[in-house]
Amino acid sequence: VAGILSKAGYKVLVLEKGNYNARSNLSLLEGPSMEEMYLGKGLLATSNMEAVIIAGSTVGGGSSINWSASIKAPQHVLKEWSECYELELFQSRLYEEAMSVVCERMGVQSKVEDEGFNNMILRKGCEELGYPINNIPRNSPPNHYCGWCCFGCKDGRKKGTSETWLVDLVESGNGAILPGCEALKVVHDQKKGRYRRTAKG
């Protein structure tokens, strides 16, 4: 949203609770990376402790610390959202077109040239058991394999938000990114005769 609005001429400010971690400063070590790039230092859980929540807390958010898997929501999920929760957008042509734009901008593709050891073993086991196998779409080129994607991308070949949409924001000259801050309250203004309020601060 920030990239598109800024390129359209709007002034945009992105607030990020976490800090900015430049590619050249990434340690790719588990301890420092979890502390610097993950919400709750990677130890966040639901209140009942039934599930651990892995969330990015750095400029680029989750796309900076994911394994580059870029899987579109399955049709049965989109159908449920649309029919059960009255979110018709998810079965619209507009949504489909938006997903195509996002995937294209982030370089999502399914080819792989250099497969990691874990995946090779998994693939071989599936083949021998007769299970179907598909490559997971990723937002990185076919020849990209580093094994450290969950600690950032040191070479910038994984096309997450910090390598795409936020670059568009900065290059537009119409926006800025403010890391290390948290929005506590949105101040609204409501003009007479208008139903909707406008965020002003």
Side-chain angles (χ1 to χ4, degrees):
V1 171
I4 291 169
L5 288 176
S6 60
K7 283 179 80 174
Y10 292 93
K11 294 288 183 187
V12 179
L13 177 64
V14 174
L15 304 179
E16 170 56 55
K17 185 176 181 180
N19 292 311
Y20 172 66
N21 292 283
R23 271 191 256 150
S24 57
N25 294 335
L26 294 173
S27 70
L28 302 184
L29 297 173
E30 186 174 9
S33 298
M34 296 292 275
E35 187 168 332
E36 294 168 3
M37 304 179 78
Y38 283 74
L39 190 61
K41 300 179 182 180
L43 300 173
L44 191 66
T46 55
S47 59
N48 59 9
M49 302 300 285
E50 287 185 359
V52 174
I53 300 169
I54 305 294
S57 184
T58 182
V59 172
S63 69
S64 292
I65 52 100
N66 70 347
W67 278 105
S68 78
S70 303
I71 303 168
K72 290 183 180 179
Q75 283 303 316
H76 71 276
V77 173
L78 298 177
K79 187 173 189 283
E80 181 183 339
W81 289 348
S82 179
E83 294 176 3
C84 297
Y85 301 100
E86 299 178 3
L87 301 169
E88 293 85 4
L89 169 70
F90 290 107
Q91 283 201 297
S92 70
R93 186 173 177 179
L94 181 64
Y95 176 77
E96 197 175 304
E97 289 172 1
M99 286 298 98
S100 295
V101 169
V102 168
C103 288
E104 184 178 343
R105 180 68 180 95
M106 296 177 72
V108 175
Q109 56 81 43
S110 297
K111 295 177 185 169
V112 60
E113 292 175 11
D114 188 10
E115 193 167 49
F117 180 75
N118 291 358
N119 287 340
M120 282 193 293
I121 296 298
L122 190 59
R123 184 182 297 275
K124 187 175 180 183
C126 288
E127 285 171 350
E128 291 187 7
L129 291 169
Y131 294 150
I133 308 161
N134 289 311
N135 289 344
I136 293 174
R138 305 178 305 143
N139 62 329
S140 56
N143 63 352
H144 176 67
Y145 174 75
C146 67
W148 305 101
C149 283
C150 63
F151 304 138
C153 189
K154 208 163 180 83
D155 63 11
R157 298 178 74 210
K158 180 175 73 169
K159 299 302 176 191
T161 310
S162 59
E163 299 291 338
T164 54
W165 308 104
L166 294 179
V167 171
D168 294 346
L169 164 79
V170 174
E171 289 180 349
S172 74
N174 291 324
I177 303 165
L178 187 60
C181 69
E182 188 173 358
L184 301 176
K185 182 180 180 181
V186 177
V187 181
H188 290 90
D189 186 22
Q190 186 165 5
K191 294 183 179 176
K192 285 186 178 181
R194 287 195 180 178
Y195 174 71
R196 293 186 177 182
R197 299 184 302 163
T198 305
K200 68 174 186 177

